Amino acid sequence: MSLPVFIADDLSAETVALSGSEGRHAVTVKRIGVGERIKLVDGRGGWVSGEVVAVEGKDTLAVRVDARGEDPQPRPRVTVIQAIPKSERAELAVDLATQGGADAIIAWQSQRTIAKWGAKADKQLGKWRDAAAAAAKQSRRSRIPDVSGPLTTKQVAQLIATRPAYVLHEDAERSMKDVDLDVDELFVLVGPEGGIGDEELALLGATPIVLGPQVYRTASAALVALSAIGTLTSRW
C-alpha cells in the first residue's frame, strides 16, 4: 500500500520537520502518529520517505528519512490549456488533469468561456493551485503541476505558435493515435462548454484532434487525453 504524501519544500536534512498547514493536515486531519511511515515531496520531483519519530502539538511532526530520490520529468512534457469552466466544474477540471499527470495547467479565457475572472483572477488562480496540490498528494505525485494564466485566445496562439499543440474537437478527423508524440513537449487545448468556434479555431492554429466516439465534458476531457498520451508514450 502506498504511503500518505505531504508537501515539504526542503528535503535535504536526515530528519525533516513538517509544520504549518501540511503539518496540521498530517497531525490533526490524518492523525499521523509516531511510528507511522509517510512520504514527503517537494513538488518538483524530489521525495523522501521515513518513519515519524516525533509529533508536537497539532501541526508539527518529524520524519527520520531512510529513503530518498527524484522522479524524472515525464516525456513528453504535457501542458493542458484549459478553458475556464463554470465555477462548479473549474476546480474539478484541475483535479482531474492533475490526476491524469498534467505537467502544467494554463487557464484560458476563450471566446465562449462563460466564467469571467476579471479582478478575481489572483483568487481563482490560487484555488486552482490549491486543487492541483491536493490532487497531486492524493494521486501520490512528487511533481505538482505549474498553474498559471489566465490567457486570452490571442495569447494562447502566440504561446503555441512554434510548438506541437492539439485542440480537442469533436468534429476533427485526426485522432490521438495519429499524432506524433515523440517530442519533448506538447500542448493539449480543452475548450469551454460552448465549444470552439471556427474563427477561434483558426486563430489558435492548433491541430484539431478527436479523442473517440464520446463527447467529454470540459472538466474530464484533459484526463482522458492525458490517459491516451500515457498509453501511447513512455509516460506510463
Side-chain angles (χ1 to χ4, degrees):
M1 184 175 178
S2 59
L3 299 175
V5 171
F6 302 94
I7 302 168
D9 187 62
D10 186 0
L11 305 177
S12 59
E14 292 304 313
T15 299
V16 178
L18 186 67
S19 58
S21 60
E22 285 295 290
R24 181 174 295 276
H25 187 219
V27 175
T28 302
V29 179
K30 292 295 186 179
R31 299 184 182 278
I32 301 295
V34 172
E36 296 187 64
R37 291 182 56 79
I38 65 173
K39 184 176 183 179
L40 304 178
V41 302
D42 62 9
R44 302 179 296 276
W47 60 268
V48 299
S49 61
E51 180 181 333
V52 176
V53 293
V55 173
E56 297 180 13
K58 297 181 178 180
D59 62 359
T60 303
L61 58 75
V63 179
R64 184 171 58 217
V65 175
D66 56 30
R68 64 174 67 242
E70 182 168 351
D71 295 328
Q73 170 67 55
R75 182 180 185 274
R77 184 179 190 274
V78 181
T79 296
V80 172
I81 300 179
Q82 173 72 56
I84 301 170
K86 295 177 183 177
S87 58
E88 66 268 21
R89 296 196 183 108
E91 290 167 45
L92 175 61
V94 175
D95 182 295
L96 294 178
T98 301
Q99 290 185 52
D103 299 296
I105 302 171
I106 299 175
W108 169 26
Q109 191 77 57
S110 69
Q111 292 178 0
R112 293 183 178 178
T113 293
I114 297 174
K116 306 296 182 183
W117 281 4
K120 298 181 180 179
D122 288 344
K123 180 180 180 180
Q124 296 301 324
L125 201 60
K127 290 182 178 180
W128 279 35
R129 287 171 175 155
D130 289 344
K137 291 191 294 182
Q138 180 65 38
S139 53
R140 308 301 193 259
R141 290 186 56 173
S142 63
R143 294 179 180 272
I144 301 173
D146 177 63
V147 180
S148 61
L151 299 184
T152 64
T153 297
K154 182 178 180 180
Q155 290 172 324
V156 170
Q158 293 172 342
L159 175 66
I160 65 176
T162 59
R163 302 173 178 179
Y166 303 93
V167 56
L168 306 183
H169 199 289
E170 61 182 294
D171 294 329
E173 296 181 357
R174 297 181 64 185
S175 70
M176 183 67 77
K177 65 178 182 293
D178 301 320
V179 171
D180 178 13
L181 298 174
D182 188 17
V183 295
D184 292 331
E185 179 183 38
L186 63 84
F187 292 78
V188 174
L189 282 68
V190 180
E193 289 94 338
I196 301 173
D198 292 340
E199 181 181 345
E200 187 171 30
L201 188 62
L203 178 60
L204 286 168
T207 302
I209 61 171
V210 64
L211 286 179
Q214 291 80 23
V215 177
Y216 298 98
R217 290 185 180 273
T218 188
S220 59
L223 171 61
V224 177
L226 286 158
S227 298
I229 294 169
T231 60
L232 293 170
T233 68
S234 61
R235 286 177 63 92
W236 282 15

